[in-house]
Amino acid sequence: MTIVTRFAPSPTGTLHVGNIRTALHNWLWAKKTGGRFLLRIDDTDAARSEERFADAIRADLAWLGLHPDGEERQSARFGRYEEVFRDLVGSGRLYPAYETPEELELRRKVLLGRGLPPVYERSALHLSEADRAALEAEGRRPHWRFRLDHAPIEWNDLIRGPQRFDAATMSDPVVRRADGSWLYLLPSVIDDVDMGITHVVRGEDHVSNTALQLQMFEAMGAAAPAFAHEALLTGAEGKLSKRLGATGVAEFREAGIEPEALVALLARLGTSDPVEPIVDATVLAETFDFARFGRAPARFDEKELAQLNARIIHHLPFDRVAAALPQGMSAAEWEAIRPNLSRLAEAGDWWRVLHEEVTAPIDAGDGEYLASAARLAAALDWSGDPWAQLTAALKAETGRSGKALFLPLRRALTGLDHGPDMHALLPLLGRERTLARLSRT
Ligand code: GLU
């Protein structure tokens, strides 16, 4: 059996970190199992769906490296939904209902007032042909409900374990509005059936939808996919935050977060596996396992992401970053400066240190010491490890050690007190630049 997963965003906005996580988990599961990962654009709501959001979703997935193996869109499938609709009306699983929202709200209040659960009482199911004709003659158009089978609904959730709902305590869900437009529930099931979806991975806010949808699979005579409902993300402060819902790829890019960092964090957050700076997503796929997910909300901490981002950058190969580096930066330069970066954009600072004149003043007390350094540096074998040779010779000649030995050199050569390993940096500066910087007064 080929595993098929799908990520099904509505193009009514850009992806936020919670959606990105869901997309990633669907992708990882397909990768791990050699399956297929589909992008399904849930655009049945014509008024709220916008093409620019569909484009942005595709671009965000591409940036993350989550390339779908196929794309579907619901707006292209209305004909098929109509077909299933007719079948389900024919088999009595869909029925027309005529209550207005105000009437339904009133019923709800009455039931609640009596201490009863506000479950739809199926009044519409008891209408006769003549009742319906009379309502239609009044100008009423029906919306359509799915008639639940009043039996227990059970499934074994890949993350939450055994789940049980009692259909008798649930309202027959509305699946189609009076204007003919679709609500989310039924088209999603039709798609999952037609597209051979084997695993539905989504947030736990969909758990009760799953109970309803399981009966829809049954009504269509189709086997249901496996379900994995993940605990939602919270902000660092442990609450569902508005900010989290507004943070997407644009904000991460702006903050200098690399896609590998976001992927490495979101692949493991909320699982019992440690978050590690894993650049290779196939490794994340191999270790991905629903059984390792916890049921408690996972905390998304931007500080943790920033730290992971730095650790990821320290592993990124030159080919991956070359286009984002200052023009002309070499692989050796990248490898020398990489451990000092927390964001890729900082490479420009080190480019300037390497290639532009250093203007930071030399400490007056170091003049003589640096003159000795310049004299010794001129005589070094620059093909070996010039830094080791220079500092050994200076130590022997001046008796200096530790900070007194190293810091004036680093300052003179880079204008800074900290930075890349001088063993790596000195050959990159080369003889001429080194002599010039040590000899400046
Ligand atoms: N469009 C739905 C949503 O974004 C899809 C849910 C699902 O994965 O079935 O909530």
Side-chain angles (χ1 to χ4, degrees):
M1 175 183 81
T2 308
I3 302 287
V4 188
T5 64
R6 86 296 195 278
F7 172 52
S10 302
T12 53
T14 52
L15 301 182
H16 57 72
V17 56
N19 309 133
I20 293 172
R21 177 171 178 248
T22 301
L24 173 65
H25 293 166
N26 278 287
W27 182 84
L28 286 169
W29 182 242
K31 275 281 148 250
K32 174 177 175 139
T33 55
R36 284 163 51 75
F37 164 69
L38 304 182
L39 171 61
R40 189 183 87 198
I41 304 287
D42 278 9
D43 56 352
T44 53
D45 186 342
R48 291 180 59 232
S49 299
E50 291 184 43
E51 206 46 40
R52 67 186 169 111
F53 290 130
D55 290 339
I57 289 167
R58 287 187 204 101
D60 286 355
L61 292 178
W63 182 76
L64 289 157
L66 311 182
H67 302 289
D69 299 304
E71 181 180 315
E72 300 278 353
R73 57 191 311 157
Q74 294 196 315
S75 58
R77 293 177 44 77
F78 288 134
R80 171 63 179 146
Y81 302 155
E82 205 61 51
E83 210 172 275
V84 176
F85 175 76
R86 280 196 297 269
D87 286 350
L88 294 179
V89 172
S91 62
R93 288 310 290 268
L94 295 182
Y95 63 92
Y98 297 83
E99 295 89 349
T100 64
E102 296 73 31
E103 287 165 347
L104 290 170
E105 186 49 31
L106 190 64
R107 280 308 298 159
R108 238 176 69 84
K109 286 200 179 127
V110 170
L111 289 171
L112 286 171
R114 289 196 207 135
L116 295 169
V119 175
Y120 177 64
E121 295 160 298
R122 296 183 153 177
S123 338
L125 208 48
H126 309 298
L127 295 175
S128 67
E129 197 82 32
D131 295 335
R132 281 203 289 268
L135 286 162
E136 304 240 352
E138 265 176 41
R140 292 212 195 192
R141 288 274 151 277
H143 52 275
W144 297 82
R145 288 186 186 261
F146 178 77
R147 185 175 52 76
L148 290 170
D149 177 10
H150 281 177
I153 304 171
E154 293 177 332
W155 78 95
N156 200 2
D157 195 275
L158 295 175
I159 293 175
R160 296 165 62 86
Q163 302 293 299
R164 193 171 198 281
F165 282 78
D166 181 359
T169 65
M170 304 175 90
S171 295
D172 288 343
V174 176
V175 296
R176 201 170 187 184
R177 300 185 190 89
D179 65 3
S181 65
W182 291 96
L183 283 109
Y184 149 78
L185 284 171
L186 185 58
S188 180
V189 169
I190 300 171
D191 291 346
D192 288 341
V193 171
D194 290 355
M195 293 163 201
I197 302 302
T198 61
H199 290 75
V200 171
V201 183
R202 57 190 182 187
E204 68 181 9
D205 49 331
H206 280 289
V207 168
S208 58
N209 284 340
T210 298
L212 302 169
Q213 288 179 319
L214 280 171
Q215 287 209 354
M216 297 179 188
F217 283 101
E218 214 175 271
M220 281 184 69
F227 286 89
H229 291 95
E230 5 189 54
L232 301 181
L233 285 185
T234 67
E237 63 293 339
K239 286 188 296 216
L240 282 171
S241 76
K242 271 221 175 95
R243 190 171 140 50
L244 209 57
T247 309
V249 164
E251 287 71 27
F252 292 124
R253 291 181 82 149
E254 181 72 19
I257 299 297
E258 298 304 319
E260 291 89 343
L262 199 54
V263 164
L265 179 66
L266 294 177
R268 293 278 178 88
L269 204 63
T271 76
S272 51
D273 289 318
V275 170
E276 292 168 318
I278 298 174
V279 171
D280 182 357
T282 54
V283 174
L284 295 171
E286 277 157 22
T287 53
F288 183 80
D289 185 353
F290 293 116
R292 324 235 356 142
F293 278 78
R295 295 211 27 198
R299 273 177 193 229
F300 178 80
D301 181 348
E302 280 171 273
K303 277 205 210 88
E304 187 182 7
L305 177 61
Q307 282 161 8
L308 185 66
N309 192 52
R311 293 167 71 205
I312 288 275
I313 286 176
H314 304 165
H315 288 95
L316 291 180
F318 179 68
D319 290 346
R320 154 68 177 84
V321 295
L325 296 180
Q327 180 101 42
M329 183 173 266
S330 69
E333 287 174 329
W334 164 247
E335 273 155 34
I337 65 158
R338 177 171 76 164
N340 292 82
L341 304 184
S342 49
R343 296 183 309 123
L344 221 45
E346 292 160 7
D349 301 341
W350 295 110
W351 171 264
R352 284 188 285 283
V353 166
L354 281 163
H355 296 280
E356 287 175 14
E357 214 175 315
V358 173
T359 52
I362 298 281
D363 200 327
D366 288 327
E368 202 178 313
Y369 176 64
L370 293 174
S372 308
R375 176 172 38 77
L376 291 166
L380 295 178
D381 166 12
W382 279 81
S383 65
D385 179 351
W387 178 252
Q389 296 169 53
L390 176 64
T391 49
L394 271 169
K395 186 174 188 166
E397 188 174 301
T398 65
R400 290 196 188 205
S401 65
K403 216 172 157 181
L405 178 69
F406 299 116
L407 195 56
L409 297 173
R410 181 183 282 285
R411 277 189 185 149
L413 291 167
T414 67
L416 297 166
D417 286 359
H418 59 89
D421 182 1
M422 293 303 292
H423 289 278
L425 209 60
L426 206 59
L428 295 173
L429 280 175
R431 187 172 186 276
E432 301 319 314
R433 263 180 290 178
T434 299
L435 294 186
R437 289 180 185 190
L438 289 173
S439 316
R440 73 204 161 82
T441 44

